[in-house]
Amino acid sequence: MLETKSRSAALYERALQLMPGGVSRNAVLRKPHPLYVEKGEGCWVTDVEGVRRIDFANNMASLIHGHAHPAIVAAVTAQLRKGSAFTLATEQEIELAEHLIGRTPSFEMIRFVNSGTEAVMSGLKAARAFTGRPRIAKVEGAYHGMYDYAEVSQTAKPHNWGDPEHPASVPVCHGTPQAALDDVVVIPHNDSERAARILDECGDSLACILIDVMPHRVALLPAAPEFLRTLRGWATAHGALLVFDEVITYRSEYGGAQAWYDVRPDLTAMGKIIGGGFPVGALAGRRDVMSVMDPHAAQVRFPHSGTFSANPVTMVAGLTALKLFDEAAVARLNGLGDRARAGAAEAIRIADVPACVTGRGSLLRLHMKAEPPTDYRSSFATAPETARLQALLDHFFASGIMMINTGTAALSTAMTEVEIDRFAESLLDGLRKLKTL
Ligand SMILES: Cc1ncc(COP(=O)(O)O)c(C=O)c1O
């Protein structure tokens, strides 16, 4: 019999000749090949084979309203007719700036960029420019994008992560300058005592502490309030800044996940949902710190620019998405998140397999571990756990559900209890299958 190749397989063959690994972002890789998309609508995605799946990945948590929301499509289409990028300022950037500054009390001024990586990089450079200090501290395992300094230790492994009292500065990329590694101090998540001891050894050399209050790669574990208070207190006492990375977590509350805490960051990096489905990043925070970018200053401490920064297409998409994501919409979505996590916990209990679920708000993550992890090291998946997670993700995919490849789900307002319950049912089936493997 003549075997016909799927359209995705044929497309991937072409792509392999053109792009390393056949892709421009590793997140879309799947075995034996990535699937290619035809279209998305609400919480559904259809691939080029015509197969529909419920989208729990939402372009790596960046689509808060799912796909092709009619209001966003209309706003973007109207803007496209007027042009997509200019060497002139636009009113649209002022409107999105006003909206975001009105949403989050720690925001006094803001600048837009094109990605979360760029937002975090800008935050670190602003902190250095403000303090005149080179070094930063960050949490072991936390992902903050691709800037040399921000990515240190993100992929640390048991053979190279070192003593827990002094986690090693492990490079992600071959050839990372030793100087970059030396300028990054790694602290453990949610361990106030150890973190304070490590920070104390840095004296007054740190420009900032960079922290994600619910780091996806650190098991999606919310920061303990006491941990954040320790970091805030230490930073203030030593003239360093506290920089939050809310690239993922800004979706968690109306004013971002920082609303969960009585601690205020000096700067916040954002991305993902604030662009309404278009490439975006932003850095917001204290007026005096943000002023390092002021081009009118006698001495500009941090000249900051970007060809597509604050382009009006992203600005109108972001503003439309955020206006729709009002307090009622946030509460409804977080309610669905609670239902999903409860459904997952119940499925795990019924199936009686070693697994657990973490997360808060509209995010959850599944782990193939009986005990919920407490930090990066305890969340690190063993080879058998990784294999079981992959089998579960394949089951989800086959049963019409798309997840992020870490076992994470990011909900969208296009979902209802029907899709959430379908997720929990599919999980129960998948866990039962795992028992038979
Ligand atoms: C917490 C966090 N920071 C930064 C980034 C980088 O954002 P981008 O992929 O837009 O560069 C990501 C991306 O997933 C992220 O999750």
Side-chain angles (χ1 to χ4, degrees), residues 264-289:
R264 226 181 224 231
D266 300 301
L267 293 174
T268 301
M270 286 166 284
K272 303 213 188 242
I273 71 157
I274 68 160
F278 288 79
V280 76
L283 181 69
R286 271 169 49 184
R287 181 175 298 272
D288 57 343
V289 179

Side-chain angles (χ1 to χ4, degrees), residues 3 29 53 55 90 94 96 102 150 152 167 197 226 274 298 306 310 355 359 386 394 409 411:
E3 206 173 298
L29 283 173
R53 294 182 183 82
D55 191 358
T90 69
I94 299 173
L96 185 56
V152 168
R197 262 203 309 275
E226 187 261 335
I274 68 160
T386 304
D394 290 344
L411 309 187

Side-chain angles (χ1 to χ4, degrees), residues 164-189:
E165 297 299 327
H166 285 103
S169 290
V170 180
V172 169
C173 196
H174 279 255
T176 300
Q178 184 61 41
L181 303 173
D182 293 343
D183 277 339
V184 180
V185 177
V186 181
I187 57 174
H189 187 55

Side-chain angles (χ1 to χ4, degrees), residues 124-135 204-208 239-241 289 292 301:
L124 299 185
K125 292 177 80 160
R128 290 186 195 130
F130 186 74
T131 59
R133 302 171 179 178
R135 304 177 80 202
D204 290 345
S205 66
L206 289 186
C208 67
L241 302 183
V289 179
V292 297
R301 283 179 280 172

Side-chain angles (χ1 to χ4, degrees), residues 238-263:
H238 291 82
L241 302 183
L242 187 62
V243 179
F244 278 8
D245 178 349
E246 289 234 46
V247 170
I248 284 197
T249 58
Y250 198 71
R251 58 165 43 235
S252 305
E253 290 294 339
Y254 184 74
Q258 56 195 272
W260 292 335
Y261 302 97
D262 57 6
V263 159

Side-chain angles (χ1 to χ4, degrees), residues 43-82:
C43 63
W44 291 90
V45 171
T46 308
D47 66 26
V48 290
E49 261 63 59
V51 179
R52 292 176 84 224
R53 294 182 183 82
I54 306 171
D55 191 358
F56 281 85
N58 279 302
N59 191 37
M60 303 301 278
S62 67
L63 304 174
I64 201 68
H65 301 299
H67 301 275
H69 189 289
I72 300 175
V73 173
V76 166
T77 307
Q79 180 59 47
L80 282 175
R81 290 206 181 92
K82 296 195 255 175

